[in-house]
Every structure is written in C-alpha cells, then in structure tokens.
Amino acid sequence: MRRVALTFLLAAAPAMAQEAGAGVLTLQAQAQRALQDGKPDAAAEAYLALAQAEPQEAKWVTGAVEALSRGDRFRDALDLLDTATPRFKDNVDLRVLAAKVNMLRAENLAAGGKRDTHVLFAYEDAAQAARDVLATHADNRDARLILAEAEFSLGNFDAALEAAQEAAKRFPEHPGAHILIAKVAFQRFVDARQRIRNEAPKGKDLERLATEAAAARKETTSALDAAIAADPQRAFPHKLLGDVHAWNDNPGQALLCYGKALGLDAGTPVNHDWLATAAKPAALIELYRKALDEYRARPHTDVRRTATTTWYLGKALFQDKQFAKARDQMRTAYAANPDYTNSLYYVWLASYWLGDHDAAEQEAAQYARLSATGFADLLRSLPDRAQTLPIITFLAARAFKASRPVQSCALNHVLALVENSAETWNNYAFLCREVGDHQASLAAYERALELEPDSPQILNDTAVILQYHLTTPENLARAKAMYERAVAVAQKDLSSGQLDAAAKARTEQALKDAQANLAKMPGVGG
C-alpha cells in the first residue's frame, strides 16, 4: 500500500512542478512547513516535486527520503534511494543515508523489545549498508557509528566493540563512539553481576566473575567520562552512568546522574520504578523538580519531553499524600502530552481525597469518556483496586442521584469493564438507554446476557431496545423471541418456589413487563 502511494507521488511530481507559482522556493517552503506541521507525507510530496524540477540536485532526494522516514515509510524511502543512487554514483551521503534508513527501520521494528527475523534482518541490512560505505570511505564517521550500533543490536558485542573502538580512534572528539564502547562494556558488566547474583559462585569462580565485573565497570565509566567530556550536554551518558552506579549498589551517585540526565533532557528513559525504591519521597520529589526546572531553563526545549518526568513527580507527590500538588502536576503532564491519559486517573482521585467530590466526579467521568478501556486497564493493574472501585461506585451513584446520567453512564462503563458481571453491564446498559445511546445499550445488554442468559429482566430489557429503539424486521423478530423466553423462564422460576422475596418480586415484575411488551408487538396483541 505504501509503495503504491510513493508511485503516485513520483507520477504526480512533474505535474506539480509545472503548476503556476510552484517554483523551487515555493516547493521548498511547502516541504519545510509540512515538516513543521507534522505532515511528513506532504513534505515528501513537495521534495519529490523538487527532485523532478531539479533532477541534478541530490539534496531533494535526501529531503524526500528523510520525510518518508519521519513518517515511518522506511521501505518507500529505501526504494527511492535504490532508484536515485545510481544517478549520483559519487555521492557518499546518499549511501550513508541508506544505512541510516535501514537502522531507523530496524529500530522501528524492534520497538517494544520485539526480536524476530524481520528485526534481525533489518539490523543486518543497516550493518551491511554501513560496511559498503566504509569499503570505499574508511573515514566516514556516521557509517562507522551505524555499523557499531547495528552490531550491538544484533548481539555481536565483539564486532560492535571493534567498530566502536575504531571510530573512537578516528574521531576521539565525537561522543558517539565512546557511548557505543560504554554500551558494550556495560552489557558485560551487567552480565557478570547477574551471574554472581544468580549462580552464587564461590572461590575462584567468584573471583573471576568479580574481576570481569570490575574491569567491565571501569571500561564503561572510562568511556562515559570520555563521552561526557566530548559533549557535556548529551543526556544519555549521564543516564548510563546512573545505571552503572545503580547496578553497583551506589544509589546516591545513581540519583545524581539520573537527575543530571533529566535536567538535560526531561524525556530521558531512566528507570523511574527503581528511583521510587531507591529514594525517599522527599528526595525523589526534589530530584524531579530540580530536573524539570533545569530542563525548562534550557533553550529550545520541547514541552512534550517534560511529560514523563512531570507525571512521575505527580505520582511521587500523590504517594506522599500531597494531593493538591499532585493534581497540578498530573494536569501539567496531560497538557504537555495528551497521550498521557492515565494522568487523569490521579487528577480525579486526588480531588476525591481532597474532599472535592464535585471535581472528582467530573474528572473521573471525563477520563472515562475519553478512554474507558484505558481507565479500566489501569484499575486492573493497580494494587489498590479494591479500595478505588468503591469510590468510583460512589461517584457513579452520586451522579445518577443528582440527575447527571451522562457522567454516571461513563463511570458505570468503567465498572462494567473492570468487574465484568451481569449486574454491572446491566446498569451500564440502562444508563446508555437513558442518555439515548441505544447501540451501546444493546451491546451492553448482550454482554450481560452472555454472563446471565436466563435472566427474565435482562431478556426483557434487551428486547425493549430492539423493539422500541432499534426497530427493524430482524430486530422485532429477535425481540419477540426474547420476550417469549423471558416469560417462559420467569414462569418456571416462580413455579419452583425457591425464590426469596426480593428475587420473587423482580421476577414477577419482569414477567409482567415481558407479557405487556409482547402484547404490543405487531401481529401479537389484540
């Protein structure tokens, strides 16, 4: 599908180039504006038109390839390079770009820890493309770094170290090679420490592993010191140095390094769960606040990069029972990155614990309407679920009592997803009917029937939706069958003499309702 789209762009590009006013400067401005607006496909289209207008300019091919890659269209980008590179045989940058795109494709495929043959082949393609460049341009820094990174990702640590050391020798002032040496050495350090922990060796075996761990740790820190000296403003070396200290049971130094990394880049993927166990709440709160202040004071910062650290600051404040401050931070995290919908969980719960039930109800319902499934999934994952569910039940009942059915409906949806009982799905179905969402009501009633197929009340209420709100010949036939089943089941249950008073009253009412509704059906009643 993507290749068809690229073929269309290539075919459309000449026509675009011929349009009145669509000169080179105009198209270049269009491409740059599209990238700024987060529209990589539009940028690629403009760059392809530029490549048609000025076929002798490799920079337009480069722009198109980079735009396609930014839109995760890696195969299209590689196809374009395969087509264009033969026209620019002496242009090493395009060959290096092929290695970069293969590497980006590999990393995209490997997202989430995936390690199948597609991922491995993509890394190998990146490594081979880099080797091809180095065969004729041994001093190409980017190719050497890509080769080392690809070998590391493939688990070829000896080859990765060799490539990284050669890059460091040739380009000692660039941090990339030192970082790659550190990554290999750190992996060996962790492996040795894990073996000591898991195998519990003694004597010479322990001495050997301890020596290996110490040597790998020293090599890691030495390489990271070189990387930091080459570029003190890069966050990753500080983060990895924090990892070394954490694995070496030195939490104080680890916290300093992690704080430094977050201050340079608030989006640095430090181990926040480890931080929560290694630092007392006050120290953790101070670390996050200081890091955020330092990052925000830097020039050209990206507010979205602050979302993760802000979220964890909010969580630390919440756990320290500083609910008002926690709520503010979670709101800030959500504003920084709307993908962080779970921030809204702590917003409403903080309001509840502050005693602001009006805000808690509104905020919880907002989260439920935005992502009921995400809300429910988060609840299921939390250890305090048994404490929180009654609060949501309270807020849902409160909303219904105050004639706020939309909010009650949203909260009951979450309860149904979490508890997955006939009763909760029935409650949600009823509220969907109250707010006029009859398709959702039918789906909820059908889920309730799956869990309790012999309930006269649920059979009747499901049939009501089909008969009065979603009327079609097929639905009327379904409704008639459900009413008849409700009547039969209710009569059987009542004749058994085994129902308590409450169940008997409910069943008698369901029987009465089903008989009345059945009598009103076309061709049934008199």
Side-chain angles (χ1 to χ4, degrees):
M1 181 177 178
R2 288 295 193 185
R3 294 187 185 181
V4 171
L6 179 60
T7 301
F8 170 76
L9 291 182
L10 286 167
M16 288 185 59
Q18 294 166 8
E19 289 178 0
V24 168
L25 292 178
T26 301
L27 287 168
Q28 187 176 9
Q30 289 175 2
Q32 292 170 347
R33 186 168 57 252
L35 288 176
Q36 292 171 357
D37 294 343
K39 299 176 180 178
D41 285 348
E45 185 174 349
Y47 276 123
L48 286 165
L50 285 163
Q52 291 287 336
E54 296 185 343
Q56 76 282 3
E57 293 287 353
K59 64 182 179 180
W60 305 135
V61 175
T62 298
V65 168
E66 291 176 345
L68 290 166
S69 297
R70 191 175 295 192
D72 295 342
R73 295 175 60 182
F74 304 110
R75 179 50 60 191
D76 284 345
L78 292 169
D79 287 347
L80 180 57
L81 282 168
D82 286 343
T83 301
T85 301
R87 293 192 290 112
F88 303 97
K89 294 181 179 179
D90 296 328
N91 190 314
V92 68
D93 291 340
L94 288 180
R95 294 167 59 196
V96 173
L97 188 55
K100 289 180 180 179
V101 174
N102 273 303
M103 193 68 190
L104 289 171
R105 177 171 178 263
E107 291 171 347
N108 181 266
L109 290 171
K114 188 177 179 182
R115 293 283 294 180
D116 61 14
T117 55
H118 296 290
V119 172
L120 298 178
F121 286 156
Y123 278 123
E124 183 53 50
D125 287 342
Q128 188 56 54
R131 291 190 201 101
D132 291 343
V133 172
L134 294 172
T136 55
H137 294 77
D139 277 333
N140 189 283
R141 187 185 67 197
D142 288 348
R144 287 205 173 275
L145 294 176
I146 291 170
L147 175 60
E149 186 69 51
E151 294 285 20
F152 178 80
S153 299
L154 286 165
N156 301 331
F157 296 141
D158 289 340
L161 184 59
E162 180 182 355
Q165 288 173 335
E166 183 62 27
K169 178 181 176 181
R170 291 172 182 264
F171 315 106
E173 300 305 316
H174 190 276
H178 302 299
I179 290 172
L180 285 164
I181 292 172
K183 288 171 70 173
V184 175
F186 177 69
Q187 185 63 53
R188 289 174 171 169
F189 168 60
V190 170
D191 288 345
R193 287 298 302 264
Q194 285 180 323
R195 289 189 63 188
I196 292 172
R197 178 184 299 174
N198 298 334
E199 298 174 11
K202 297 179 180 179
K204 291 184 177 181
D205 288 338
L206 175 58
E207 183 179 348
R208 176 178 55 80
L209 283 173
T211 300
E212 289 179 9
R217 176 172 56 83
K218 183 178 180 180
E219 185 177 10
T220 306
T221 55
S222 177
L224 289 173
D225 287 343
I228 291 170
D231 184 0
Q233 302 304 308
R234 184 171 294 204
F236 181 79
H238 296 280
K239 179 265 181 190
L240 190 55
L241 194 56
D243 292 342
V244 173
H245 287 303
W247 271 94
N248 205 44
D249 301 321
N250 190 355
Q253 285 298 113
L255 292 175
L256 289 174
C257 293
Y258 287 145
K260 179 66 174 178
L262 291 171
L264 292 169
D265 178 1
T268 303
V270 303
N271 190 334
H272 292 280
D273 291 336
W274 181 86
L275 279 171
T277 64
K280 293 181 179 179
L284 188 60
I285 290 167
E286 177 60 23
L287 183 152
Y288 286 140
R289 278 183 171 152
K290 184 172 182 291
L292 284 166
D293 287 344
E294 290 176 355
Y295 179 73
R296 287 169 177 150
R298 293 174 62 80
H300 311 300
T301 55
D302 180 356
V303 68
R304 287 176 68 89
R305 302 290 292 174
T306 66
T308 300
T309 298
T310 304
W311 190 93
Y312 277 101
L313 171 58
K315 184 177 180 182
L317 288 164
F318 186 91
Q319 292 175 334
D320 199 43
K321 294 182 169 50
Q322 298 185 49
F323 296 122
K325 293 178 180 179
R327 181 173 62 181
D328 290 343
Q329 293 300 325
M330 287 300 183
R331 285 171 174 164
T332 302
Y334 181 64
N337 188 345
D339 290 340
Y340 280 46
T341 54
N342 58 357
S343 303
L344 300 176
Y345 174 85
Y346 291 95
V347 169
W348 75 262
L349 194 53
S351 292
Y352 175 83
W353 290 120
L354 287 167
D356 190 348
H357 294 168
D358 286 340
E361 178 192 312
Q362 181 180 353
E363 291 156 351
Q366 177 193 0
Y367 183 23
R369 289 195 298 272
L370 185 67
S371 178
T373 301
F375 195 159
D377 288 343
L378 180 60
L379 275 173
R380 280 190 286 262
S381 72
L382 294 175
D384 61 350
R385 170 180 135 185
Q387 179 189 36
T388 309
L389 278 177
I391 298 175
I392 299 173
T393 303
F394 161 74
L395 294 175
R398 182 179 187 273
F400 182 73
K401 185 177 180 181
S403 299
R404 292 188 288 270
V406 172
Q407 292 187 182
S408 185
C409 182
L411 293 172
N412 273 282
H413 190 190
V414 174
L415 291 170
L417 288 167
V418 175
E419 298 187 8
N420 195 32
S421 65
E423 179 182 1
T424 54
W425 282 110
N426 178 70
N427 291 342
Y428 172 54
F430 166 76
L431 285 161
C432 286
R433 188 175 72 183
E434 290 295 290
V435 300
D437 191 347
H438 299 119
Q439 286 290 353
S441 179
L442 176 61
Y445 275 132
E446 288 175 336
R447 179 60 185 144
L449 279 175
E450 290 176 11
L451 297 167
E452 196 173 320
D454 293 327
S455 166
Q457 176 256 310
I458 298 175
L459 284 164
N460 175 77
D461 291 348
T462 307
V464 166
I465 294 293
L466 295 169
Q467 180 181 2
Y468 296 105
H469 302 291
L470 298 174
T471 308
T472 67
E474 295 79 7
N475 284 348
L476 287 174
R478 287 184 65 198
K480 182 174 182 294
M482 285 183 177
Y483 287 138
E484 290 172 344
R485 177 164 174 74
V487 168
V489 172
Q491 290 174 337
K492 178 182 177 182
D493 290 345
L494 290 169
S495 65
S496 71
Q498 296 179 356
L499 300 178
D500 61 29
K504 181 179 180 182
R506 288 195 302 271
T507 305
E508 287 175 340
Q509 185 63 52
L511 174 61
K512 180 180 178 181
D513 291 342
Q515 288 174 328
N517 288 318
L518 185 60
K520 295 177 183 177
M521 295 202 71
V524 177

